[in-house]
Amino acid sequence: LLDGERVPIGGLADLARMYAGGGGGDGGGGGADELAFEHVDGRWKVGACRSPTGSFQAVSFVNGVATARGGTHVNHVANALLSALVPALKLKGEGVTPGRVKPHLMLFVDCLVDNPEFDSHPKETLITPAAAFGGTCELPAAFVRRVAKLSGLRAAIEGEVAVRDTQALAKAAATSR
C-alpha cells in the first residue's frame, strides 16, 4: 500500500515498467514500451531502460531481498550486457566503450543466489562472487538487441561521444600552440 492505495506491482517487470514510464521531460524513460525485459531462466530476470538521470542506476533483488546498493549480481549482469551491447549498437567512432554506454542505462535485476553473502546486516550489497552464484546470467541476443533499440539510447551515446571528441580536439589544439 502507498498512501492507502494498493500499488499494482506483480513482480520486477511491473516495477521496471513503472520506472521506464516515469521519465519526465528530461529525455529519460519515455514509457512502458521503452523497457527491455527478459525472464532469462529460473534464476535470473533482467530489464533495462534509459537512465532518467544520465548516470547508471540499478534496482535489484537477491532471493527476494532488495539490495539497495546492488552488488556482484548487478555487476555480473551489467558487464555481460555492456560487452554485448557495444557491438550491437554499431556506433561509429573509436571512443565507444562499455564505460561510455553504462551511464545511459538503468538495470533491473532479480536473481536467486546460492548462500548469498552481504556486506552488512541490512543486506544492501551482495558480495558473493559470481562463481558462487549457482548459475550465471546468459543474456539472450534478442534481449541485447531490444536494449540497443531503446528510444534515444543511440543518440544520447553518440552525443556524449561527439562532445568528448570535440573537447579532446580542442585540448589538443590548445596544447599544440
Side-chain angles (χ1 to χ4, degrees), residues 18 25 29 56-57 71 90 107 126 132 145 149 167:
M18 287 183 68
F56 179 76
Q57 296 180 51
K90 299 177 185 169
L107 269 186
L126 182 73
R145 285 191 299 271
K149 291 179 182 177
Q167 289 171 341

Side-chain angles (χ1 to χ4, degrees), residues 54-146:
S55 63
F56 179 76
Q57 296 180 51
V59 175
S60 62
F61 300 85
V62 174
N63 299 359
V65 175
T67 49
R69 294 189 335 221
T72 53
H73 61 307
V74 171
N75 296 340
H76 173 70
V77 172
N79 292 340
L81 176 59
L82 290 166
S83 64
L85 188 57
V86 169
L89 285 166
K90 299 177 185 169
L91 294 170
K92 297 177 184 176
E94 291 183 20
V96 181
T97 63
R100 285 199 172 171
V101 174
K102 188 175 182 177
H104 299 280
L105 291 176
M106 180 172 195
L107 269 186
F108 303 89
V109 179
D110 184 5
C111 64
L112 297 175
V113 172
D114 293 345
N115 302 312
E117 295 179 36
F118 300 92
D119 67 336
S120 62
H121 183 70
K123 300 180 179 181
E124 293 180 326
T125 308
L126 182 73
I127 60 171
T128 304
F133 285 169
T136 58
C137 183
E138 303 292 332
L139 296 173
F143 173 73
V144 175
R145 285 191 299 271
R146 287 194 310 273

